[in-house]
Amino acid sequence: MAAIQRDSLMSLEVYAKTRKDFRARVLAHKKARTVHLGDHVTLIFEDELTLRYQIQEMLRIERAFEEEAIQEELDVYNPLVPDGSNFKATMLIEYEDVEERRAALMQLKGVEDRVWVAVQGKEKVVAIADEDLPRENEVKTSAVHFLRFELSPDMVAALKRGATLAMGVDHPAYRAEIPAVDVATRDALTADLA
């Protein structure tokens, strides 16, 4: 998947006019790309469209139109675009109650390194987490992590032939597993692969 280029972004004026329809399109697109692992972990698998939307939203919020500010957003989000041999996901750890979340994040230290995907008949692929910067400290993990799942050519080929895709979290304080994501999710993610 190609990186998002500066000249492919909408100006603030054009985005303001098309935002409602563009947002609806992206939210519909994200449905098949969102996986809930248990009650408190959600993976949103990113692609060019989801990240283009995120960049447009950041530029809108910041009212950024200068080349340097636009390039900064591209530099932040382009590394999250899958490059043909991997899945890339934003991982959210979600607890509505603030105190419950605080306590959970302390217990879930290292959870980002225990998330996995598995192609039918192949070994689990454990996420490579937070390549941009560490998101945990000595006390707790963060509620948001960025994950990369690097797949072998054999795994990619199996998915393209229709193999099932499993996902899970294997942490002492949090375990969840989906033996096979639904076909729409598998197909959406397989489309990210070269």
Side-chain angles (χ1 to χ4, degrees), residues 50-81:
T50 66
L51 295 166
R52 174 181 300 282
Y53 172 71
Q54 188 63 35
I55 291 169
Q56 293 284 179
E57 282 294 296
M58 293 304 294
L59 295 174
R60 183 184 79 82
I61 291 165
E62 296 169 1
R63 300 193 191 294
F65 58 88
E66 295 172 346
E67 291 300 319
E68 185 177 314
I70 294 168
Q71 189 59 52
E72 283 177 17
E73 295 300 332
L74 288 166
D75 292 345
V76 167
Y77 289 102
N78 265 328
L80 302 177
V81 177

Coordinates of all heavy atoms in Angstrom, one line a residue, residues 50-81:
T50 N -8.3 4.8 6.4 CA -8.5 5.1 7.8 C -7.5 6.2 8.3 O -7.8 7.1 9.0 CB -8.4 3.9 8.8 OG1 -7.1 3.4 8.8 CG2 -9.4 2.9 8.4
L51 N -6.2 6.1 7.8 CA -5.2 7.0 8.1 C -5.3 8.4 7.4 O -5.1 9.4 8.0 CB -3.8 6.4 7.9 CG -3.6 5.2 8.9 CD1 -2.4 4.4 8.5 CD2 -3.5 5.7 10.3
R52 N -5.8 8.3 6.2 CA -6.1 9.5 5.4 C -7.2 10.4 6.2 O -7.0 11.6 6.4 CB -6.6 9.2 4.0 CG -7.1 10.5 3.2 CD -7.6 10.0 1.9 NE -6.5 9.4 1.1 CZ -5.5 10.0 0.5 NH1 -5.5 11.4 0.6 NH2 -4.6 9.4 -0.2
Y53 N -8.2 9.7 6.7 CA -9.2 10.3 7.5 C -8.6 10.9 8.7 O -8.9 12.1 9.1 CB -10.3 9.3 7.8 CG -11.3 9.8 8.8 CD1 -12.3 10.8 8.4 CD2 -11.3 9.4 10.1 CE1 -13.2 11.3 9.4 CE2 -12.3 9.9 11.0 CZ -13.2 10.8 10.7 OH -14.1 11.3 11.6
Q54 N -7.7 10.2 9.4 CA -7.1 10.7 10.6 C -6.3 11.9 10.4 O -6.4 12.9 11.1 CB -6.2 9.6 11.3 CG -5.7 10.0 12.6 CD -6.8 10.2 13.7 OE1 -7.8 9.5 13.7 NE2 -6.6 11.1 14.6
I55 N -5.6 11.9 9.3 CA -4.8 13.1 8.9 C -5.7 14.3 8.6 O -5.4 15.4 9.1 CB -3.8 12.8 7.7 CG1 -2.8 11.8 8.1 CG2 -3.2 14.1 7.1 CD1 -2.0 11.2 6.9
Q56 N -6.7 14.1 7.8 CA -7.6 15.2 7.5 C -8.3 15.7 8.8 O -8.4 16.9 8.9 CB -8.7 14.7 6.5 CG -8.2 14.3 5.2 CD -7.9 15.5 4.2 OE1 -7.5 15.3 3.1 NE2 -8.1 16.7 4.7
E57 N -8.6 14.9 9.7 CA -9.2 15.3 10.9 C -8.2 16.1 11.8 O -8.6 17.2 12.3 CB -9.8 14.2 11.8 CG -11.1 13.6 11.3 CD -12.2 14.6 11.4 OE1 -12.5 15.0 12.6 OE2 -12.8 15.0 10.4
M58 N -7.0 15.7 11.8 CA -6.0 16.4 12.6 C -5.7 17.8 12.0 O -5.6 18.8 12.7 CB -4.7 15.6 12.7 CG -4.8 14.3 13.5 SD -5.4 14.6 15.2 CE -4.0 15.6 15.9
L59 N -5.6 17.8 10.7 CA -5.4 19.1 10.0 C -6.6 20.0 10.3 O -6.4 21.3 10.5 CB -5.2 18.9 8.5 CG -4.0 18.1 8.1 CD1 -3.9 17.9 6.6 CD2 -2.7 18.9 8.6
R60 N -7.8 19.5 10.2 CA -9.0 20.3 10.5 C -9.0 20.8 11.9 O -9.2 22.0 12.2 CB -10.3 19.5 10.3 CG -11.6 20.2 10.5 CD -12.8 19.3 10.3 NE -13.0 18.5 11.5 CZ -13.7 18.9 12.6 NH1 -14.2 20.2 12.6 NH2 -13.9 18.2 13.6
I61 N -8.8 20.0 12.9 CA -8.8 20.4 14.3 C -7.7 21.4 14.6 O -7.9 22.4 15.3 CB -8.5 19.1 15.2 CG1 -9.8 18.2 15.2 CG2 -8.2 19.5 16.6 CD1 -9.5 16.8 15.7
E62 N -6.5 21.2 14.0 CA -5.4 22.2 14.2 C -5.5 23.4 13.3 O -4.6 24.3 13.4 CB -4.1 21.4 14.0 CG -3.9 20.3 15.1 CD -2.7 19.4 14.8 OE1 -2.0 19.6 13.7 OE2 -2.5 18.5 15.6
R63 N -6.4 23.4 12.3 CA -6.5 24.4 11.3 C -5.2 24.6 10.6 O -4.8 25.7 10.4 CB -7.0 25.7 11.9 CG -8.4 25.6 12.5 CD -9.0 26.9 12.8 NE -10.2 26.9 13.6 CZ -11.4 26.3 13.3 NH1 -11.5 25.7 12.2 NH2 -12.4 26.4 14.1
A64 N -4.6 23.5 10.3 CA -3.3 23.5 9.7 C -3.4 23.5 8.2 O -4.1 22.7 7.6 CB -2.5 22.3 10.1
F65 N -2.7 24.4 7.6 CA -2.7 24.5 6.1 C -1.3 24.8 5.6 O -1.0 24.8 4.4 CB -3.6 25.6 5.6 CG -3.3 27.0 6.2 CD1 -2.5 27.8 5.5 CD2 -4.0 27.4 7.3 CE1 -2.2 29.1 6.0 CE2 -3.7 28.6 7.9 CZ -2.8 29.5 7.2
E66 N -0.3 25.0 6.5 CA 1.0 25.3 6.1 C 1.7 23.9 5.8 O 1.5 22.9 6.4 CB 1.8 26.0 7.2 CG 1.2 27.4 7.4 CD 1.8 28.1 8.6 OE1 2.5 27.5 9.4 OE2 1.6 29.3 8.7
E67 N 2.6 24.0 4.8 CA 3.3 22.8 4.3 C 4.0 22.0 5.4 O 3.9 20.8 5.5 CB 4.3 23.1 3.2 CG 3.6 23.5 1.9 CD 2.7 22.5 1.3 OE1 3.0 21.3 1.3 OE2 1.6 22.9 0.8
E68 N 4.6 22.7 6.3 CA 5.4 22.0 7.4 C 4.5 21.3 8.3 O 4.8 20.1 8.7 CB 6.2 23.1 8.2 CG 7.1 22.5 9.2 CD 7.9 23.5 9.9 OE1 8.5 24.4 9.3 OE2 8.0 23.4 11.2
A69 N 3.4 21.9 8.7 CA 2.4 21.2 9.6 C 1.8 20.0 8.9 O 1.6 18.9 9.5 CB 1.3 22.2 10.0
I70 N 1.5 20.1 7.6 CA 0.9 19.0 6.9 C 1.9 17.8 6.8 O 1.6 16.7 7.0 CB 0.4 19.5 5.5 CG1 -0.7 20.5 5.6 CG2 0.0 18.3 4.6 CD1 -1.1 21.2 4.3
Q71 N 3.2 18.2 6.5 CA 4.2 17.2 6.4 C 4.4 16.5 7.7 O 4.6 15.2 7.8 CB 5.5 17.8 5.9 CG 6.6 16.7 5.6 CD 6.1 15.7 4.5 OE1 5.6 16.2 3.4 NE2 6.2 14.4 4.8
E72 N 4.3 17.2 8.8 CA 4.4 16.6 10.2 C 3.3 15.5 10.4 O 3.6 14.4 10.9 CB 4.3 17.6 11.3 CG 5.5 18.4 11.4 CD 5.4 19.5 12.5 OE1 4.4 19.5 13.3 OE2 6.2 20.5 12.5
E73 N 2.1 15.8 10.0 CA 1.0 14.8 10.1 C 1.3 13.6 9.2 O 1.1 12.4 9.6 CB -0.3 15.4 9.8 CG -0.8 16.5 10.7 CD -0.9 16.0 12.2 OE1 -1.2 14.8 12.4 OE2 -0.7 16.9 13.1
L74 N 1.8 13.8 8.0 CA 2.1 12.7 7.1 C 3.2 11.9 7.7 O 3.1 10.6 7.6 CB 2.5 13.3 5.7 CG 1.4 13.8 4.9 CD1 2.0 14.6 3.7 CD2 0.5 12.7 4.4
D75 N 4.2 12.5 8.3 CA 5.3 11.8 8.9 C 4.9 10.9 10.1 O 5.4 9.8 10.3 CB 6.4 12.7 9.3 CG 7.1 13.4 8.1 OD1 7.0 12.9 7.0 OD2 7.8 14.4 8.4
V76 N 3.9 11.4 10.8 CA 3.3 10.7 12.0 C 2.5 9.5 11.5 O 2.7 8.3 12.0 CB 2.5 11.6 12.9 CG1 1.7 10.8 13.9 CG2 3.4 12.6 13.6
Y77 N 1.6 9.6 10.5 CA 0.7 8.6 10.2 C 1.1 7.6 9.1 O 0.6 6.5 9.1 CB -0.7 9.2 9.9 CG -1.3 9.8 11.1 CD1 -1.3 11.2 11.4 CD2 -2.0 8.9 12.0 CE1 -1.9 11.7 12.5 CE2 -2.5 9.4 13.2 CZ -2.5 10.8 13.4 OH -3.1 11.3 14.6
N78 N 2.0 8.1 8.2 CA 2.4 7.2 7.1 C 3.0 5.9 7.6 O 2.8 4.8 7.0 CB 3.2 7.9 6.1 CG 2.4 8.4 4.9 OD1 1.4 7.8 4.5 ND2 2.8 9.5 4.3
P79 N 3.8 5.9 8.7 CA 4.4 4.6 9.1 C 3.3 3.6 9.5 O 3.6 2.4 9.7 CB 5.3 5.0 10.3 CG 5.6 6.4 10.0 CD 4.4 7.0 9.4
L80 N 2.1 4.0 9.8 CA 1.0 3.1 10.2 C 0.3 2.5 9.0 O -0.6 1.6 9.3 CB 0.0 3.9 11.1 CG 0.6 4.5 12.4 CD1 -0.4 5.3 13.1 CD2 1.3 3.5 13.2
V81 N 0.6 2.9 7.8 CA -0.1 2.3 6.6 C 0.6 0.9 6.4 O 1.8 0.8 6.3 CB 0.1 3.2 5.4 CG1 -0.5 2.5 4.1 CG2 -0.5 4.6 5.6

